[in-house]
Amino acid sequence: MRVALLSAGPSLSSSFHPDAAPHDVRIGVNTAASLFACDWWSCADQHRFAEIEPVGTPRLFTIDAEYHKMQSRNGDKVAKFEVQGWKSVFADVSAPSIWQNFSATSALVLARWLGATHLDVYGVDMTGVTCCAGETMAPQRKQSRWERERDLWAEIVNWLPFPVVRHGVQ
């Protein structure tokens, strides 16, 4: 199964073209799901969930504890989504729970859980403070955060049993 992972980096708009390559499943990370229709939306944080309006109604993939916050603070909105928690997905594929840190890296684990045999990734810039929608992201988007995420990304990609092809920023 060919999966597209659309991350929220600024290169997404120039590297992903919905009709260019057929994918069986699309996973949108955070703001990326507001630009392109996706089957899944990986969104770890309640405050990002509240801010983002995805195209359509993708399945929501989120941290279990954040889901409870989403229910209490945005109950009407979250009720629209079929929700899958990170904890059970990570357990099903024997992924270390310590990997449950970032929406994009957790989306890699979701791709494995879904049965991917090939993964195309777009918008995985992991640098700067601007997202694919042109918005300035939270102050924690510092170089040190991106270094941690890049290290975790590499570790998970090496664990995956299928090819991961990164498009856009290298």
Side-chain angles (χ1 to χ4, degrees), residues 3-163:
V3 175
L5 189 158
L6 312 181
S7 196
S11 71
L12 176 63
S13 298
S14 61
S15 63
F16 179 70
H17 306 285
D19 301 323
H23 293 97
D24 300 299
V25 174
R26 276 192 213 156
I27 302 169
V29 176
N30 293 327
T31 313
S34 71
L35 298 180
F36 298 100
C38 296
D39 303 290
W40 288 86
W41 177 24
S42 183
C43 184
D45 301 310
Q46 183 280 325
H47 71 278
R48 296 297 290 145
F49 174 81
E51 298 167 352
I52 298 168
E53 289 299 328
V55 175
T57 311
R59 292 180 187 103
L60 177 62
F61 182 54
T62 193
I63 299 173
D64 299 74
E66 288 294 304
Y67 173 63
H68 298 297
K69 290 180 190 175
M70 292 170 189
Q71 285 181 310
S72 67
R73 297 177 188 165
N74 303 96
D76 289 344
K77 182 177 179 181
V78 79
K80 299 175 188 175
F81 297 93
E82 181 181 328
V83 179
Q84 180 64 54
W86 287 9
K87 187 176 181 180
S88 62
V89 167
F90 276 66
D92 284 351
V93 296
S94 300
S97 60
I98 196 165
W99 286 355
Q100 296 181 37
N101 283 299
F102 306 107
S103 296
T105 55
S106 292
L108 292 169
V109 177
L110 174 63
R112 181 172 181 168
W113 184 75
L114 291 170
T117 55
H118 180 94
L119 182 62
D120 290 301
V121 297
Y122 305 86
V124 182
D125 302 356
M126 291 190 246
T127 186
V129 296
T130 306
C131 77
C132 57
E135 301 167 354
T136 300
M137 301 303 296
Q140 71 266 26
R141 300 287 200 249
K142 295 179 181 169
Q143 192 60 30
S144 59
R145 178 259 162 85
W146 292 126
E147 289 170 7
R148 288 192 321 275
E149 189 165 350
R150 279 193 296 270
D151 290 347
L152 183 56
W153 179 272
E155 186 177 347
I156 295 173
V157 165
N158 287 334
W159 169 80
L160 293 172
F162 48 79

